[in-house]
C-alpha cells in the first residue's frame, strides 16, 4: 500500500466518524517557540489550550513535521528521520478514551478491502500509564486484547505533557510485533525495534505544574474539558504495510536512496558506512524538498540555516561516496515524484524549489573546495581541539558550517571548541542586533500580550474600512510591563479595544497617525501584532498624559495610507509583470513596501537581462495605464487555491482568506494589506535597482506614485547637469561619456607602465645595495605604493644561486620575499614575518605579509638579526 493511500484511508476513516478534515499547516511553525512544526498537534495547540474556539468538536489531519534534534542519528538507526508525517485525530471536549481507542483499533485491523489497514490483531500490543485502569480495562474488555499484550509503563513513557505547566494526561501506545528477525520477544519494554510503535493516543485530562524533565512535576487536578490528541506515524505505518525494514525503504524514500546509489556507483546493504550515507542522502533530499516547498529558503539563521545544513549534509554525503559533480539535479526530481501523489503542489512548483536547491549546492561546492583545504591545514597542525577562533573564521569568512567542521574533525579523531565558537557567534549576533529592535514592540513577553488578549478579547481591527475610530485604552506598557499612565515625551506601547491602524504584516509597513483624547495627544510610531488577534501601538506622547481606561480618537495619516496603498498594489503589479517577463518560476519569496517605495524578492538564478528589466517596468506601467480594476474578495482557502491565487511561501492562512485581484486573473494573490481601488491610482512605477540577496534569490526595488515622479525628475536634472558640464547635447551624452572612459583607461595604462618602470628602477637600486646577513643577501626598501610587487621585483634581482631575502615597508603593509636558494637553506618568509610582527602576519616560504610595523627601521633591524642568527646555510 503506497504511503499516499495510507494517508487517504486515515482521513476517510475519521471523516466518516464525524471529524472535520483540516489541511495540514506549513512546516514553518506559527509558534514563537518553534522553528518548525514538530508534532501533529502543534497547529491545534490554541484549541487544546482553550485560547481559540475550534471550528468543530472533532478534527483530523495529516501534518508535515520536521525534527532535527536527532539529526546526527539519521541513517544510523531505523527510527530517526528529519521529515515525517503525523496522522492525527482530535476531540475538543467531545469523545474521550473509549471512542478514541475504538476508532484507532477499527482502522488498524479493518480488512484492506473494507478501507482499513488489515494488520494482524494477534501481533498488536498496547501500553498504558501505570495507574490508568480505565484504559487498561478498555483494551481488555472493549477491544479484547489479552492481558499479556497490555503493558503498564511509567511516567517517562506513557504520560504526556508539553514540558511546561498546562494540559497533560496519560497516553496509550500501540506497537506491532514484526517477528523474531527484528529482535527479542517480550514486548516493547524488551525491544522497540521488533515491537515498532505506530500510534499514540493522548488522553488530555489533567493540569500539570512547574517542574523539569519527563517525570519531575506535579499533577494539579482535572481539566475543565477533556481532550483527545492522537498521532499515527505515517511512515511507520507504511513500513508495516509495505513489509520493509525501515522508513528509508518505503515508497516515498527508497527511490531517492536507489538513485543516490546508482549515481555514486555504490550498492545498498553492502557496507555499514555506505548504508548510513545513502540513508542520510535519501532522508535529507526529501526533507529539503518539503522545506523549500513550504517557503523556507537557505540562509545563515533560523529555519534557513536548518535547511542549509540539511542540504549540505546531503551534498557532502554524495561526495563522500565518490561523486564530485552536482547531485541534486539527479536526486531532487526523484523525491518530487515520490511525494507528489500526496502533495501535488510540489510538481507544479518544482521549478522554484529546484532553483533554490541547485543554487545552494553550487554555492556549497565552492565552499567545500575552499573551506575543506583551510580546515585540513588547520587540523593537520593540531593534536588537541580545534580552536574556537579557527572554527568561527571558517564559518564567518568562508561560510563553512560549524556542524560540518565538527563532523570532519571527528572523522580525524579530533574535537572542536564548540562552546567557544558559540560564544563568538553569540557576541557577533548581540552586536548585530543591538539596535535592530528599537522600533518594535517585542520587548514585552508574549505571555503578557496573551493575557491582554484573554482579558479584552481580540482587537476590533478596522484598517480595511476606515481611517478613524473612537477607542478605549485597554493597557499602557513601558519597558515590557504595564503602567497606569505615561506622560509627555515618553515612548510607550498602547493597546486599544479597536483601531483603524494597519499593523505591519505581509510586507506592508505599519500606518502612521495620531491618538488624541481628553488631556493627551500622541504620535503613532509603529503598529504591530505581537500575538494573533492583538494590535499594539508604539506611540510618542506629544502632550498631556495617557492612561488606561481613557477614550481616544485614533486617526491614520491619510497621505501615509494613500502612499502605502499605492506601494502595496504596486508590489502586486510588479510581481505579475515579473512572472509575465520571466515565467512562472519567478515567484515572490518576500516583500516590503512603505509609502512611495517597494522591494520584492523572488526566486531566480543569475542577473536579470537588461531587456527583462525594461519589459517588467513597461508591463507594470501598461497595467496602470489600462486602469485595471482592483477587487478584494473573501473566500475559503481551498477555493482561492482552485482559482490559482498566489500565496507567500511560509505564511500561515486561515480557512477563509482575503484575495486581491488586479485585472482578474492577471494578478490574483492572498493578501491582508491595503490597496488602491483601481490600478491608475498607483500613479506610476519606476524600477530603481536589481540585485542578489542570496543563492537563487533576486531583489527588485521600485518607487511609486509621487516618489516615482520625483525620482524621474532627479534623473532628468542629473542628465541636464552632466550635459552642461560636458558641453554636449543630451542625445550625445552616451557617446561623449564613452570617449571619456576610453581616455581614462588609456591614461591609467600609461600610469601603470610608468609605475612599473619606477618600481623596476627602485628594485634594481635596492638589490644593488643588498647587505650580507649571515650569508644571506638582504635587501630592503620603502614605498608608498602597494609593497608586494616591489618585494617580488627586488628578490628576483638578487643572485639566484645565493640565498636572498627582500623586505619592503609601506604605509599599507610589510612584505618579505625569499628566493629559492634561501628557502632551500631553511629560510621561510612566513616565519620571518610572524616573528618580526609578533604573529600579526603570515604567508608561505616564498612570500609573506602583515600589517605595517610601528617602527619600520626597528623591524628591518630585527629581520637582519634573524637572518644573521639563522643556521643551516
Amino acid at each position: 500500500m503506497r504511503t499516499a493511500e495510507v494517508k487517504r484511508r486515515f482521513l476517510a476513516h475519521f471523516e466518516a466518524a464525524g471529524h472535520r478534515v483540516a489541511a495540514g499547516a506549513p512546516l514553518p511553525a506559527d509558534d514563537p517557540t518553534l522553528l518548525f512544526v514538530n508534532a501533529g498537534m502543534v497547529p491545534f495547540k490554541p484549541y487544546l489550550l482553550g485560547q481559540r474556539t475550534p471550528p468543530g468538536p472533532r478534527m483530523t489531519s495529516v501534518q508535515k513535521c520536521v525534527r532535527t534534534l536527532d539529526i546526527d542519528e539519521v541513517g544510523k538507526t531505523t527510527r530517526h528521520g528529519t521529515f515525517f508525517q503525523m496522522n492525527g485525530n482530535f476531540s475538543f471536549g467531545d469523545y474521550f478514551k473509549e471512542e478514541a481507542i475504538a476508532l484507532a483499533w477499527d482502522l488498524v485491523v479493518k480488512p484492506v478491502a473494507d478501507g482499513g489497514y488489515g494488520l494482524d490483531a494477534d501481533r498488536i500490543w498496547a501500553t498504558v500509564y501505570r495507574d490508568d485502569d480505565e484504559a487498561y480495562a478498555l483494551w481488555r474488555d472493549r477491544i479484547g486484547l489479552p492481558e499479556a499484550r497490555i503493558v503498564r509503563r511509567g511516567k517517562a513513557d506513557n504520560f504526556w505533557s508539553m514540558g511546561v505547566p498546562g494540559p497533560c494526561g496519560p497516553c496509550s501506545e500501540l506497537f506491532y510485533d514484526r517477528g523474531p528477525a527484528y529482535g527479542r520477544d517480550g514486548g516493547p519494554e524488551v525491544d522497540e525495534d521488533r515491537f515498532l510503535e505506530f500510534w499514540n493516543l493522548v488522553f488530555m485530562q489533567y493540569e500539570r505544574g512547574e517542574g523539569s524533565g519527563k517525570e519531575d512535576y506535579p499533577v494539579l487536578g482535572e481539566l475543565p474539558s477533556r481532550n483527545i490528541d492522537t498521532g499515527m506515524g505515517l511512515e511507520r505505518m507504511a513500513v508495516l504495510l509495505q513489509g520493509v525494514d525501515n522508513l528509508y525503504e518505503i515508497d516515498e524514500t527508497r527511490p531517492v536512496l536507489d538513485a543516490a546509489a546508482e549515481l555514486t556507483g555504490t550498492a545498498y546493504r553492502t557496507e555499514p558506512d555506505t548504508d548510513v550515507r545513502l540513508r542520510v542522502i535519501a532522508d535529507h533530499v526529501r526533507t529539503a524538498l518539503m522545506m523549500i516547498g513550504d517557503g523556507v529558503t537557505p540562509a545563515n539563521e533560523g529555519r534557513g540555516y536548518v535547511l542549509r545544513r540539511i542540504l549540505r549534509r546531503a551534498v557532502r554525503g554524495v561526495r563522500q561516496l565518490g561523486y564530485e559533480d552536482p547531485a541534486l539535479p539527479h536526486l531532487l526530481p526523484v523525491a518530487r515524484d515520490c511525494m507528489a501523489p500526496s502533495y501535488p503542489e510540489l510538481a507544479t512548483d518544482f521549478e522554484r524549489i529546484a532553483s533554490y536547491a541547485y543554487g545552494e549546492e553550487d554555492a556549497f561546492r565552492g565552499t567545500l573546495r575552499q573551506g575543506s583545504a583551510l580546515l585540513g591545514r588547520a587540523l593537520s597542525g593540531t593534536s588537541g581541539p580545534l580552536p574556537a577562533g579557527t572554527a568561527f573564521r571558517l564559518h564567518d569568512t568562508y561560510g563553512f558550517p560549524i556542524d560540518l567542521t565538527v563532523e570532519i574533525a571527528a572523522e580525524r579523531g579530533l574535537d572542536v571548541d564548540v562552546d567557544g565558537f558559540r560564544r563568538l557567534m553569540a557576541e557577533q549576533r548581540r552586536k548585530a542586533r543591538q539596535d535592530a529592535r528599537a522600533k518594535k514592540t517585542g520587548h514585552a513577553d508574549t505571555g503578557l500580550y496573551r493575557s491582554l488578549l484573554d482579558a479584552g478579547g481580540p482587537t476590533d481591527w478596522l484598517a480595511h474600512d476606515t481611517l478613524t475610530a473612537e477607542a478605549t485604552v485597554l493597557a499602557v506598557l513601558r519597558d515590557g510591563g504595564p503602567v497606569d499612565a505615561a506622560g509627555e515625551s515618553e515612548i510607550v506601547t498602547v493597546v486599544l479595544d479597536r483601531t483603524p491602524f494597519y499593523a505591519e504584516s505581509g510586507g506592508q509597513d505599519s500606518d502612521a497617525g495620531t491618538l488624541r483624547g481628553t488631556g493627551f495627544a500622541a504620535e503613532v510610531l509603529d503598529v504591530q501584532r505581537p500575538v494573533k488577534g492583538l494590535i499594539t501601538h508604539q506611540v510618542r506622547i506629544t502632550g498631556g498624559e495617557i492612561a488606561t481606561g481613557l477614550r481616544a480618537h485614533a486617526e491614520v495619516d491619510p497621505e501615509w495610507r494613500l502612499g502605502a496603498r499605492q506601494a502595496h498594489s504596486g508590489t502586486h503589479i510588479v510581481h505579475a509583470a515579473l512572472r509575465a517577463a520571466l515565467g512562472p518560476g519567478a515567484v515572490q519569496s518576500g516583500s516590503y513596501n512603505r509609502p512611495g517605495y517597494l522591494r520584492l524578492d523572488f526566486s531566480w538564478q543569475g542577473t536579470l537581462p537588461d531587456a527583462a528589466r525594461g519589459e517588467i517596468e513597461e508591463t507594470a506601467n501598461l497595467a496602470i495605464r489600462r486602469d485595471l480594476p482592483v477587487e478584494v474578495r473573501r473566500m475559503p482557502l481551498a477555493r482561492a487555491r482552485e482559482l490559482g491565487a498566489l500565496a507567500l511561501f511560509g505564511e500561515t492562512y486561515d480557512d477563509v482568506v482575503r484575495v486581491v485581484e488586479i485585472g482578474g486573473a492577471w494578478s490574483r494573490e492572498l493578501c491582508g494589506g491595503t490597496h488602491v481601488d483601481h490600478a491608475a491610482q498607483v500613479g506610476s512605477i519606476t524600477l530603481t535597482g536589481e540585485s542578489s540577496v542570496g543563492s537563487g534569490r533576486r531583489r527588485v526595488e521600485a518607487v511609486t506614485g509621487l516618489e516615482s515622479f520625483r525620482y524621474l525628475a532627479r534623473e532628468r536634472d542629473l542628465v541636464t547637469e552632466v550635459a552642461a558640464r560636458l558641453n554636449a547635447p543630451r542625445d550625445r551624452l552616451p557617446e561623449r561619456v564613452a570617449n571619456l572612459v576610453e581616455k581614462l583607461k588609456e591614461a591609467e595604462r600609461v600610469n601603470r607602465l610608468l609605475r612599473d618602470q619606477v618600481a623596476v628602477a627602485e628594485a634594481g637600486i635596492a638589490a644593488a645595495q643588498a647587505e650580507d646577513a649571515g650569508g644571506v643577501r638582504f635587501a630592503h626598501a620603502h614605498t608608498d605604493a602597494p609593497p608586494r610587487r616591489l618585494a617580488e621585483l627586488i628578490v628576483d634581482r638578487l643572485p639566484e644561486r645565493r640565498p636572498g631575502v627582500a623586505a619592503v615597508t609601506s604605509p599599507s603593509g610589510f612584505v618579505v620575499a625569499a628566493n629559492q636558494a634561501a628557502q632551500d637553506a631553511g629560510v621561510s618568509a612566513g616565519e620571518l614575518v610572524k616573528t618580526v610582527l609578533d604573529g600579526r602576519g603570515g604567508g608561505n616560504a616564498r612570500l609573506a605579509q602583515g600589517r605595517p610595523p610601528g617602527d619600520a627601521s626597528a623591524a628591518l633591524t630585527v629581520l637582519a638579526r634573524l637572518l644573521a642568527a639563522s643556521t643551516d646555510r
Side-chain angles (χ1 to χ4, degrees):
M1 187 183 297
R2 288 183 63 89
T3 305
E5 178 62 13
V6 179
K7 171 184 175 180
R8 189 199 66 77
R9 288 178 181 238
F10 183 91
L11 294 176
H13 173 76
F14 283 98
E15 186 174 24
H19 292 66
R20 176 172 177 161
V21 177
L27 282 170
D30 186 20
D31 185 323
T33 66
L34 297 172
L35 286 178
F36 296 100
V37 173
N38 63 359
M41 56 77 64
V42 169
F44 299 94
K45 276 175 63 176
Y47 309 143
L48 295 169
L49 295 174
Q51 296 169 344
R52 293 174 58 189
T53 302
R58 301 180 174 205
M59 298 186 73
T60 184
S61 72
V62 175
Q63 177 59 49
K64 297 172 285 187
C65 304
V66 165
R67 290 182 188 169
T68 56
L69 288 177
D70 298 321
I71 192 169
D72 293 327
E73 298 303 313
V74 171
K76 298 176 184 177
T77 77
T78 59
R79 297 195 304 272
H80 291 95
T82 51
F83 172 81
F84 62 96
Q85 299 157 89
M86 188 61 71
N87 298 8
N89 60 286
F90 304 87
S91 164
F92 309 108
D94 188 23
Y95 62 85
F96 201 50
K97 291 181 185 179
E98 182 172 4
E99 191 168 353
I101 287 173
L103 284 169
W105 183 262
D106 182 47
L107 175 60
V108 168
V109 301
K110 186 191 304 181
V112 172
D114 296 334
Y117 295 142
L119 291 185
D120 183 352
D122 292 335
R123 298 169 67 178
I124 298 175
W125 291 58
T127 63
V128 298
Y129 181 54
R130 62 190 172 207
D131 297 332
D132 193 352
D133 296 332
E134 182 185 1
Y136 188 96
L138 285 169
W139 283 116
R140 183 190 61 199
D141 302 333
R142 173 76 165 78
I143 301 303
L145 207 60
E147 289 190 355
R149 287 193 275 121
I150 308 173
V151 181
R152 295 181 185 266
R153 303 183 82 172
K155 206 171 186 179
D157 294 306
N158 276 69
F159 201 90
W160 175 90
S161 81
M162 289 189 293
V164 294
C168 64
C171 58
S172 181
E173 297 172 332
L174 292 179
F175 294 79
Y176 195 72
D177 182 0
R178 298 199 288 168
Y182 291 93
R184 296 176 296 159
D185 198 359
E189 286 199 304
V190 174
D191 192 325
E192 288 198 12
D193 280 328
R194 171 172 172 170
F195 297 88
L196 183 68
E197 178 196 346
F198 63 88
W199 204 315
N200 185 15
L201 300 94
V202 175
F203 310 127
M204 199 180 296
Q205 63 186 114
Y206 301 116
E207 181 181 2
R208 66 157 280 180
E210 293 281 358
S212 59
K214 290 187 175 183
E215 300 184 69
D216 186 20
Y217 57 85
V219 175
L220 304 178
E222 291 269 352
L223 290 173
S225 176
R226 301 187 302 179
N227 303 319
I228 287 292
D229 157 26
T230 84
M232 184 197 83
L234 182 56
E235 282 78 6
R236 293 195 179 190
M237 182 58 75
V239 166
L240 298 176
L241 295 178
Q242 293 173 18
V244 296
D245 286 350
N246 55 67
L247 59 87
Y248 307 104
E249 298 177 8
I250 65 173
D251 62 307
E252 289 188 344
T253 316
R254 180 60 185 261
V256 185
L257 188 152
D258 289 339
E262 181 179 357
L263 193 67
T264 58
T266 58
Y268 186 50
R269 299 254 184 212
T270 54
E271 296 288 337
D273 288 346
T274 298
D275 289 353
V276 168
R277 289 188 176 119
L278 288 173
R279 289 170 181 165
V280 168
I281 294 164
D283 172 86
H284 286 10
V285 168
R286 183 171 80 137
T287 301
L289 171 79
M290 302 307 295
M291 283 184 173
I292 302 174
D294 274 0
V296 184
T297 55
N300 287 329
E301 293 280 347
R303 298 180 180 111
Y305 179 71
V306 176
L307 170 61
R308 173 161 284 166
R309 182 183 180 193
I310 283 171
L311 274 170
R312 292 183 169 190
R313 279 171 59 91
V315 171
R316 185 163 179 264
V318 174
R319 291 173 66 89
Q320 286 174 317
L321 293 177
Y323 189 79
E324 298 289 332
D325 294 329
L328 291 180
H330 300 281
L331 302 178
L332 200 68
V334 180
R336 171 202 61 199
D337 295 342
C338 291
M339 300 304 297
S342 289
Y343 305 98
E345 64 272 16
L346 295 173
T348 57
D349 194 30
F350 188 69
E351 184 178 349
R352 180 191 67 87
I353 295 169
S355 69
Y356 282 112
Y358 300 166
E360 181 65 16
E361 179 175 27
D362 289 342
F364 183 51
R365 292 177 73 237
T367 296
L368 270 179
R369 284 192 297 271
Q370 191 173 26
S372 294
L374 291 167
L375 179 57
R377 288 198 293 270
L379 292 173
S380 64
T382 182
S383 58
L386 185 73
T390 303
F392 180 76
R393 179 168 168 263
L394 281 164
H395 169 87
D396 195 50
T397 306
Y398 300 101
F400 210 71
I402 181 61
D403 51 274
L404 196 54
T405 299
V406 171
E407 284 185 19
I408 293 174
E411 289 168 3
R412 302 192 183 197
L414 297 173
D415 294 325
V416 178
D417 182 5
V418 176
D419 291 339
F421 170 84
R422 288 174 179 155
R423 285 193 295 271
L424 292 173
M425 284 294 296
E427 177 64 16
Q428 184 192 58
R429 287 172 181 153
R430 185 190 67 77
K431 291 178 180 177
R433 295 175 181 173
Q434 201 164 28
D435 300 319
R437 298 179 183 267
K439 181 188 170 192
K440 303 303 176 189
T441 60
H443 299 293
D445 185 90
T446 57
L448 172 59
Y449 292 129
R450 291 195 182 280
S451 66
L452 291 171
L453 182 63
D454 292 340
T459 307
D460 186 8
W461 191 47
L462 308 171
H464 292 139
D465 306 315
T466 181
L467 296 180
T468 64
E470 302 303 320
T472 300
V473 178
L474 299 181
V476 179
L477 310 177
R478 182 176 58 211
D479 297 329
V483 294
D484 293 331
E488 188 169 346
S489 299
E490 286 193 80
I491 295 178
V492 294
T493 297
V494 174
V495 180
L496 305 175
D497 64 336
R498 59 206 311 261
T499 181
F501 286 91
Y502 185 85
E504 180 181 353
S505 63
Q508 181 176 331
D509 204 354
S510 62
D511 279 332
T514 58
L515 297 182
R516 296 184 182 277
T518 303
F520 76 87
E523 174 190 4
V524 176
L525 306 175
D526 186 42
V527 187
Q528 294 292 319
R529 187 184 283 106
V531 294
K532 191 170 185 177
L534 188 74
I535 307 296
T536 63
H537 311 72
Q538 188 184 65
V539 305
R540 177 187 292 111
I541 302 171
T542 55
E545 183 180 81
I546 190 168
T548 302
L550 291 180
R551 296 289 291 170
H553 176 75
E555 183 170 349
V556 177
D557 181 338
E559 288 299 314
W560 179 280
R561 173 66 73 81
L562 174 60
R565 294 167 67 203
Q566 289 175 318
H568 203 150
S569 296
T571 304
H572 285 223
I573 290 171
V574 170
H575 188 201
L578 267 170
R579 291 166 60 79
L582 303 176
V587 178
Q588 176 184 338
S589 57
S591 68
Y592 172 73
N593 52 80
R594 64 172 186 267
Y597 169 84
L598 69 89
R599 69 170 186 247
L600 188 146
D601 298 343
F602 61 99
S603 54
W604 190 256
Q605 292 289 350
T607 58
L608 289 186
D610 291 338
R613 177 171 167 168
E615 183 181 348
I616 292 163
E617 190 173 67
E618 183 173 354
T619 300
N621 283 293
L622 281 174
I624 293 171
R625 193 181 73 174
R626 288 164 55 201
D627 198 15
L628 295 178
V630 178
E631 184 178 3
V632 178
R633 296 191 284 163
R634 296 186 68 81
M635 63 183 69
L637 177 60
R639 175 58 179 159
R641 295 196 184 281
E642 287 176 10
L643 291 174
L646 298 176
L648 183 62
F649 292 100
E651 288 287 324
T652 300
Y653 296 96
D654 293 330
D655 291 339
V656 177
V657 294
R658 190 168 178 267
V659 178
V660 177
E661 296 178 342
I662 301 177
W666 186 74
S667 171
R668 180 179 285 142
E669 301 189 31
L670 304 187
C671 181
T674 61
H675 288 272
V676 298
D677 299 319
H678 46 93
Q681 288 181 323
V682 173
S684 70
I685 293 173
T686 302
L687 297 189
T688 59
E690 187 266 329
S691 59
S692 170
V693 286
S695 178
R697 191 173 173 186
R698 305 294 296 180
R699 170 176 293 173
V700 291
E701 297 177 87
V703 285
T704 61
L706 195 57
E707 283 303 316
S708 175
F709 291 111
R710 289 170 176 160
Y711 179 87
L712 293 173
R714 289 193 295 271
E715 294 282 294
R716 178 199 61 204
D717 293 343
L718 179 62
V719 171
T720 299
E721 182 180 353
V722 172
R725 287 179 179 271
L726 296 181
N727 193 26
R730 294 162 66 97
D731 60 351
R732 299 289 300 277
L733 275 181
E735 178 185 345
R736 181 65 60 87
V737 171
N739 288 337
L740 284 175
V741 169
E742 286 302 316
K743 290 179 180 178
L744 283 173
K745 287 182 179 178
E746 177 60 20
E748 288 176 356
R749 187 184 68 80
V750 171
N751 280 337
R752 230 176 5 254
L753 288 173
L754 291 173
R755 285 196 300 269
D756 284 347
Q757 290 173 2
V758 170
V760 168
E762 290 178 343
I765 294 171
Q769 295 176 347
E771 306 164 354
D772 187 78
V776 177
R777 296 298 291 167
F778 175 46
H780 55 84
H782 180 81
T783 180
D784 291 328
R788 176 170 177 158
R789 173 65 175 155
L790 181 56
E792 291 175 326
L793 287 171
I794 294 173
V795 82
D796 286 343
R797 279 155 181 73
L798 295 174
E800 290 185 8
R801 298 184 179 224
R802 186 173 177 186
V805 170
V808 177
T809 59
S810 81
S812 62
F814 176 59
V815 176
V816 174
N819 65 10
Q820 189 59 52
Q823 296 172 56
D824 294 342
V827 175
S828 168
E831 293 302 321
L832 291 172
V833 166
K834 285 181 181 178
T835 303
V836 172
L837 299 182
D838 296 324
R840 293 173 297 138
N844 53 37
R846 160 75 181 170
L847 188 74
Q849 59 189 22
R851 298 176 182 175
D855 185 337
S857 177
L860 293 173
T861 300
V862 170
L863 183 56
R865 287 176 183 163
L866 289 172
L867 292 172
S870 61
T871 58
D872 193 22
R873 297 283 178 253

